[in-house]
Amino acid sequence: MSKLDLSLYGILDPKRCLGRALDELADAAISGGCTLLQLRDKESSTREMLACAKSIKTAIRGRVPFLINDRVDVALACGADGVHIGQDDMPMAAARQLLGADATIGLSIKTRQDAMQFPREGLDYVCIGGVFETQSKDNPVSIGIDGWTELAALCRGRMSTPFPVGAIAGIDHKGASDLIRAGADGVALISAIFMQADVKASAMKFKKVIQEAQSS
Amino acid sequence: MSKLDLSLYGILDPKRCLGRALDELADAAISGGCTLLQLRDKESSTREMLACAKSIKTAIRGRVPFLINDRVDVALACGADGVHIGQDDMPMAAARQLLGADATIGLSIKTRQDAMQFPREGLDYVCIGGVFETQSKDNPVSIGIDGWTELAALCRGRMSTPFPVGAIAGIDHKGASDLIRAGADGVALISAIFMQADVKASAMKFKKVIQEAQSS
């Protein structure tokens, strides 16, 4: 598996892709600079989701890590690199036990309570949000850059080693730049890449914005 | 794990239990003679479903096998004896690979096509339905006793050894008796047991009906 790099994290969702094939979008996103991909699918049957996950896994050709949202069974069956779990998904320790020590496991953090209580053992990264308003998911509140910064400090303060912390929800170019300057290791994007006509070009533009913010 | 016996197969569903705790209903059902239990939950979060599965597994105390509908990850994480999969769930071979040789895997059969095409390797039983009309699930057609008999013959004809074949959907006392006399190894029940005020008594009544039909 390639090294974990949260910087340009693309989340593939069959409901947020303008009806296009997710394996082709995955390839385009990697060509445009995505460093990590996740399949999130809360509606399809297990059979449909697994078939889709396998096609994405094939299209990725090992260039970036591939994670599955929530579904450890789908991750195991398609040979994904790990899972991204939310607060309502399988508990971290159970996911780690099923996936093994080498898998990548990331966790969503939405509140101060989440940030104070997440299990530190065996976790590879957290992704904090919703930072801004989004149409991709119901988020009760948007925490903004200040909220992200506060939660990121709480998360990192609980870890003994440098720890990757990403940001998610409603992130545009300015948001990405601001978050990277505020210390985010990366931004997770759905609509901003996959609801665009040219997925590769959209990823490339974010890549440029992120690289500029990282070197500033 | 106790031996697989389809005869009185109880399916626990959090939406079909009159709001009661499924672990207590599992215990009552076993006291009444249920020989096999399944948790089917298409709506809860993974975390809720796993917690529920664990509580049922504990309540069962190894007296009967415990299967999980669809979710191989939940089955693995709660230590269930296997899974029951439908035509839209994980393919049989993938489920077997994840669960191992000792797990029990059952499959839903609804149509002639299902009966002609299911993978024979590694399958422990099939359950054919919907036999009668039911409110527990959307079934496009009810196949009746004759339809069940036809599909059961197709399924058994494809297997080289005696093969357990159950029946599901809308089965009442007369239906259970007729199906057992028609050669069913058992009946799968949801509402007829778990939507009743006295779960144990409901299971006992079915047990009696089934035993009478088996010995007739």
Side-chain angles (χ1 to χ4, degrees):
Chain A
M1 183 177 70
S2 42
K3 189 173 170 299
L4 184 68
D5 174 357
L6 290 187
S7 62
L8 185 48
Y9 187 173
I11 300 180
L12 295 150
D13 182 330
K15 296 289 180 195
R16 310 288 296 167
C17 65
L18 305 180
R20 296 169 292 185
L22 294 188
D23 55 348
E24 293 175 17
L25 299 196
D27 186 60
I30 296 169
S31 300
C34 268
T35 57
L36 176 62
L37 285 172
Q38 176 194 132
L39 171 62
R40 181 171 85 183
D41 184 349
K42 296 292 193 183
E43 297 189 23
S44 300
S45 71
T46 299
R47 189 159 303 190
E48 288 170 332
M49 186 182 180
L50 177 56
C52 180
K54 283 182 173 176
S55 73
I56 294 169
K57 163 88 179 158
T58 301
I60 290 177
R61 301 199 311 273
R63 289 172 288 172
V64 303
F66 177 42
L67 308 183
I68 303 290
N69 190 292
D70 180 14
R71 295 292 297 268
V72 171
D73 49 354
V74 174
L76 288 168
C78 81
D81 299 296
V83 294
H84 181 90
I85 54 183
Q87 300 289 326
D88 294 331
D89 299 338
M90 186 173 289
M92 239 286 299
R96 174 60 71 194
Q97 189 166 9
L98 294 179
L99 290 162
D102 292 340
T104 295
I105 302 183
L107 179 70
S108 294
I109 298 286
K110 294 184 176 186
T111 65
R112 280 183 62 93
Q113 189 176 17
D114 294 345
M116 302 289 282
Q117 293 183 348
F118 69 84
R120 291 175 295 181
E121 285 297 313
L123 192 62
D124 294 298
Y125 74 88
V126 297
C127 199
I128 298 172
V131 182
F132 304 113
E133 280 187 42
T134 174
Q135 295 181 341
S136 298
K137 202 170 180 182
D138 284 336
N139 282 315
V141 288
S142 304
I143 60 175
I145 301 281
D146 289 348
W148 183 89
T149 304
E150 182 195 351
L151 294 188
L154 279 174
C155 291
R156 287 185 172 132
R158 294 184 56 223
M159 309 303 278
S160 54
T161 53
F163 184 67
V165 179
I168 191 168
I171 298 172
D172 59 12
H173 298 144
K174 180 176 185 311
S177 180
D178 290 348
L179 283 160
I180 297 294
R181 287 167 206 266
D185 291 288
V187 292
L189 305 168
I190 307 174
S191 309
I193 293 182
F194 297 112
M195 294 284 278
Q196 309 304 313
D198 189 332
V199 165
K200 179 180 173 184
S202 301
M204 286 177 71
K205 175 64 182 167
F206 271 100
K207 188 79 171 180
K208 186 161 175 286
V209 166
I210 289 164
Q211 286 175 335
E212 286 173 359
Q214 283 171 334
S215 61
S216 71
Chain B
M1 183 177 69
S2 42
K3 188 173 172 298
L4 183 68
D5 174 357
L6 291 186
S7 63
L8 186 47
Y9 187 174
I11 300 180
L12 296 150
D13 182 329
K15 296 289 180 198
R16 310 289 298 166
C17 65
L18 304 180
R20 296 169 293 185
L22 294 189
D23 55 348
E24 293 174 19
L25 299 196
D27 186 60
I30 296 168
S31 300
C34 269
T35 57
L36 177 61
L37 286 172
Q38 177 194 132
L39 171 61
R40 180 170 85 182
D41 183 350
K42 296 291 192 183
E43 297 189 24
S44 299
S45 70
T46 300
R47 189 158 303 189
E48 287 170 334
M49 186 181 181
L50 177 56
C52 180
K54 283 182 174 177
S55 74
I56 294 169
K57 162 87 178 160
T58 300
I60 289 176
R61 299 199 313 273
R63 289 171 289 172
V64 303
F66 177 42
L67 308 183
I68 303 291
N69 188 291
D70 180 18
R71 295 293 297 266
V72 171
D73 49 352
V74 174
L76 288 168
C78 81
D81 299 296
V83 294
H84 181 90
I85 54 183
Q87 300 290 328
D88 294 330
D89 298 338
M90 185 173 289
M92 240 287 299
R96 174 61 70 195
Q97 188 166 9
L98 294 179
L99 290 162
D102 292 340
T104 295
I105 302 183
L107 180 70
S108 293
I109 297 286
K110 293 184 177 187
T111 66
R112 280 181 62 92
Q113 189 176 18
D114 294 345
M116 302 290 282
Q117 294 184 347
F118 70 84
R120 292 175 296 181
E121 285 297 314
L123 192 63
D124 294 299
Y125 74 88
V126 296
C127 200
I128 299 172
V131 182
F132 305 112
E133 280 187 41
T134 173
Q135 296 182 342
S136 297
K137 202 171 180 181
D138 284 335
N139 281 316
V141 288
S142 304
I143 60 175
I145 301 281
D146 290 347
W148 184 90
T149 304
E150 182 195 350
L151 294 188
L154 279 174
C155 291
R156 287 185 172 132
R158 293 184 56 222
M159 308 302 279
S160 54
T161 53
F163 185 68
V165 179
I168 190 166
I171 298 171
D172 61 11
H173 297 143
K174 180 175 185 314
S177 181
D178 291 347
L179 283 160
I180 297 293
R181 286 168 208 265
D185 291 289
V187 292
L189 305 167
I190 307 174
S191 308
I193 294 183
F194 298 112
M195 293 285 277
Q196 308 304 315
D198 189 332
V199 166
K200 179 181 173 182
S202 301
M204 286 177 71
K205 175 63 180 166
F206 271 100
K207 188 81 172 179
K208 186 162 174 288
V209 166
I210 290 164
Q211 286 176 334
E212 285 173 1
Q214 283 171 333
S215 61
S216 71

